[in-house]
């Protein structure tokens, strides 16, 4: 059954954007003067309404000024919203990996926009590891790791010598570097831009709530000192998976995944469902010259912890507890995010139009955009990797390698 499910999920993820491109090409792509195109300085990427709403309360920004219908967006969120002069736009991509990748591809393929100089900012809520940060904090990622892209054995059937049910593709035990790579395992973003964004966001007065304040005090272990402080702005990497995981043990597992897959540089901190998909879409559009991968910011505010506090079960923490973090986290997307957006707008002529040169490797595990990843298996040609993936897949199913 697993193979069938796998095939289905791949089919959905690959066929939808393909069909979409055909629709866009046939229905929408009419030659236009580039002057007709909207060329935003910044695009804010939300996943669902509570993340988007705080931005629309800003009457000066006025994101309601232009509503632009784009074929291929989520049926729930069929329009891009832009300011009067088009210098800032907002997209709600929908939740989960498939929605994020498909909606972003629809936007970047649309002839209504020129996004070659645009800064993209993912602005969403996330879970946070209490060892790394706290409720309502504002976090900017350098690495996005697709931690759910591996084998899973249900906890009740884990072998005695395994400490987790998660095993990288192409390996036989937990904790190994994957030899089978699908290409979206790890994304690395510009650290120079991440630092500038943190600098802008630090100028924001962050929201908090009494309830969040009381709740974070319950994380009173020696290793969770970061959880009991008030909301702050910091660097913090993201882990992606459509499965909304929760708990100490699974968090520890994925902390290991992030560490192994980024070759020790990335640190597990935030959990969410879209960033790798959004980044894969932007990566392919960057390869096509439609966007610039050095102009991407991932900002996630913490709406909840990714595990229980001492004395609480994982199920209670996930399903019944109310941490008070959701409302201030959504508000802080705007409060910190508008500082970043305005920083880019105000510094446009001086710095941002030209671009911020990245000092670190940026891109995916294959080096698709050029350069050499500081993570990944090292030099392997795409042809070799395809062969490895086929062989690994056949080995897993006991089929003789041809
Ligand atoms: C990352 O770690 C793996 C496993 O130890 C190793 O094979 C690979 O060469 C490393 N990659 C880089 C870029 O250092
Ligand atoms: C997804 O994004 C997260 C963080 O944004 C990153 O750590 C992860 O490697 C990414 N994975 C994929 C497959 O894009």
């Amino acid at each position: 059954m697993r193979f069938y499910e796998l095939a289905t999920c791949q089919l959905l993820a690959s066929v939808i954007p393909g069909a979409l491109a055909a629709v866009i090409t046939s229905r929408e792509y009419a030659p236009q003067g580039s002057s007709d195109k909207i060329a935003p300085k910044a695009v804010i990427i939300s996943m669902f309404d509570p993340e988007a709403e705080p931005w629309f309360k800003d009457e000066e920004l006025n994101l309601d000024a232009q509503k632009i219908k784009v074929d291929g967006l989520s049926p729930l969120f069929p329009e891009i919203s832009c300011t009067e002069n088009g210098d800032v736009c907002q997209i709600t991509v929908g939740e989960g990996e498939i929605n994020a990748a498909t909606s972003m591809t629809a936007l970047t393929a649309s002839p209504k926009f020129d996004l070659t100089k645009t800064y993209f900012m993912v602005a969403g809520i996330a879970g946070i590891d209490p060892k790394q940060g706290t409720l309502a904090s504002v976090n900017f990622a350098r690495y996005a790791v697709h931690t759910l892209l591996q084998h899973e054995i249900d906890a009740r059937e884990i072998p005695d010598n395994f400490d987790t049910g998660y095993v990288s593709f192409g390996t036989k035990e937990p904790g190994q570097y994957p030899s089978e790579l699908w290409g979206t395992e790890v994304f690395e973003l510009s650290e120079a831009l991440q630092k500038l964004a943190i600098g802008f966001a630090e100028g924001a007065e962050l929201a908090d709530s009494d309830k969040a304040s009381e709740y974070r005090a319950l994380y009173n272990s020696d290793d969770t000192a970061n959880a009991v402080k008030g909301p702050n702005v910091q660097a913090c990497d993201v882990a992606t998976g459509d499965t909304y995981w929760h708990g100490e043990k699974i968090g520890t597992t994925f902390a290991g995944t992030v560490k192994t897959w980024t070759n020790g540089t990335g640190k597990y901190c935030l959990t969410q469902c879209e960033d790798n998909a959004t980044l894969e879409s932007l990566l392919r559009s960057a390869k096509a010259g439609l966007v610039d991968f050095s102009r991407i910011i991932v900002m996630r505010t913490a709406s909840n912890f990714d595990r229980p506090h001492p004395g609480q079960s994982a199920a209670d923490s996930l399903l019944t507890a109310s941490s008070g973090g959701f409302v201030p986290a959504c508000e802080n997307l705007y409060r910190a995010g508008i500082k970043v957006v305005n920083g880019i707008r105000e510094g446009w002529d001086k710095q941002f139009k030209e671009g911020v040169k990245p000092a670190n490797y940026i891109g995916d595990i294959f080096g698709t955009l050029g350069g050499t990843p500081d993570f990944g298996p090292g030099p392997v040609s795409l042809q070799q990797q395809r062969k490895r993936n086929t062989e690994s897949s056949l080995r897993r199913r006991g089929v003789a390698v041809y």
Side-chain angles (χ1 to χ4, degrees):
M1 278 318 278
R2 184 64 192 161
F3 179 58
Y4 169 74
E5 286 162 22
L6 213 59
T8 307
C9 86
Q10 285 171 332
L11 197 70
L12 278 173
S14 60
V15 165
I16 292 176
L20 181 71
V23 169
I24 289 166
T25 316
S26 62
R27 289 188 42 209
E28 217 186 325
Y29 200 87
Q32 286 181 343
S34 61
S35 56
D36 297 338
K37 297 190 183 203
I38 298 179
K41 294 185 172 84
V43 168
I44 299 149
I45 304 169
S46 317
M47 273 50 70
F48 72 137
D49 281 322
E51 292 170 347
E53 276 158 9
W55 292 94
F56 287 84
K57 291 188 192 139
D58 184 334
E59 288 172 13
E60 203 185 313
L61 186 66
N62 192 16
L63 280 169
D64 283 317
Q66 297 195 63
K67 296 287 182 190
I68 297 139
K69 198 177 168 316
V70 172
D71 286 331
L73 294 181
S74 159
L76 293 174
F77 311 106
E79 292 168 332
I80 309 285
S81 302
C82 296
T83 54
E84 183 75 49
N85 68 2
D87 69 339
V88 181
C89 295
Q90 183 273 347
I91 176 174
T92 303
V93 290
E95 293 169 271
E97 295 172 28
I98 293 175
N99 279 325
T102 311
S103 301
M104 282 311 295
T105 303
L107 170 59
T108 57
S110 169
K112 294 176 180 175
F113 293 87
D114 174 354
L115 303 168
T116 49
K117 292 201 182 316
T118 301
Y119 288 81
F120 292 90
M121 183 169 69
V122 172
I125 58 170
I128 195 160
D129 178 348
K131 295 193 182 77
Q132 308 300 336
T134 196
L135 298 172
S137 62
V138 179
N139 303 275
F140 292 87
R142 169 172 163 189
Y143 286 101
V145 181
H146 200 175
T147 48
L148 257 282
L149 209 55
Q150 53 183 325
H151 296 298
E152 178 192 345
I153 298 170
D154 185 278
R156 290 161 294 189
E157 294 172 282
I158 294 173
D160 291 341
N161 59 333
F162 283 14
D163 57 1
T164 170
Y166 288 89
V167 181
S168 298
F169 289 146
T171 72
K172 292 195 160 53
E173 57 187 270
Q176 305 293 304
Y177 205 88
S179 66
E180 180 180 336
L181 297 172
W182 294 6
T184 60
E185 287 80 1
V186 182
F187 292 95
E188 185 169 353
L189 302 174
S190 169
E191 197 178 16
L193 183 60
Q194 176 198 30
K195 286 194 171 135
L196 286 173
I198 288 174
F200 290 138
E202 278 172 346
E205 192 181 319
L206 298 181
D208 197 6
S209 72
D210 290 343
K211 196 161 184 190
S213 182
E214 284 166 27
Y215 197 85
R216 63 168 76 87
L218 300 170
Y219 286 76
N220 53 7
S221 307
D222 290 344
D223 60 353
T224 54
N226 286 326
V228 296
K229 295 178 191 155
N232 63 328
V233 176
Q234 63 175 7
C236 165
D237 295 326
V238 290
T240 304
D242 270 340
T243 301
Y244 188 139
W245 69 83
H246 193 86
E248 177 76 31
K249 288 191 167 21
I250 200 163
T252 301
T253 288
F254 292 148
T257 301
V258 171
K259 191 167 174 209
T260 304
W261 293 7
T262 61
N263 286 61
T265 319
K267 196 184 245 183
Y268 174 86
C269 182
L270 294 162
T271 67
Q272 43 68 49
C273 302
E274 295 88 9
D275 291 350
N276 287 48
T278 303
L279 295 175
E280 177 68 9
S281 170
L282 286 169
L283 182 112
R284 293 186 193 186
S285 301
K287 181 73 179 166
L290 296 170
V291 307
D292 178 351
F293 206 76
S294 74
R295 300 180 185 225
I296 302 171
I297 297 163
V298 170
M299 176 183 74
R300 289 275 178 175
T301 60
S303 53
N304 53 273
F305 289 113
D306 77 337
R307 64 194 68 190
H309 57 69
Q312 186 186 36
S313 73
D316 282 347
S317 170
L318 175 65
L319 302 172
T320 59
S322 167
S323 71
F326 182 82
V327 171
C330 290
E331 175 62 22
N332 286 341
L333 288 173
Y334 167 74
R335 290 200 191 181
I338 191 69
K339 297 283 184 192
V340 178
V341 167
N342 286 340
I344 290 169
R345 290 206 281 187
E346 285 155 19
W348 187 253
D349 289 334
K350 222 174 79 194
Q351 180 174 29
F352 290 100
K353 183 179 177 191
E354 182 74 22
V356 179
K357 208 171 149 33
N360 59 305
Y361 169 79
I362 59 168
D364 64 355
I365 203 162
F366 295 147
T368 299
L369 302 176
T372 308
D374 50 357
F375 54 90
V380 181
S381 74
L382 292 175
Q383 213 53 42
Q384 278 172 310
Q385 191 59 54
R386 278 172 64 170
K387 190 156 178 284
R388 266 190 199 177
N389 289 355
T390 301
E391 286 172 359
S392 159
S393 166
L394 296 181
R395 212 178 296 120
R396 177 165 57 227
R397 299 183 178 90
V399 180
V401 172
Y402 54 80

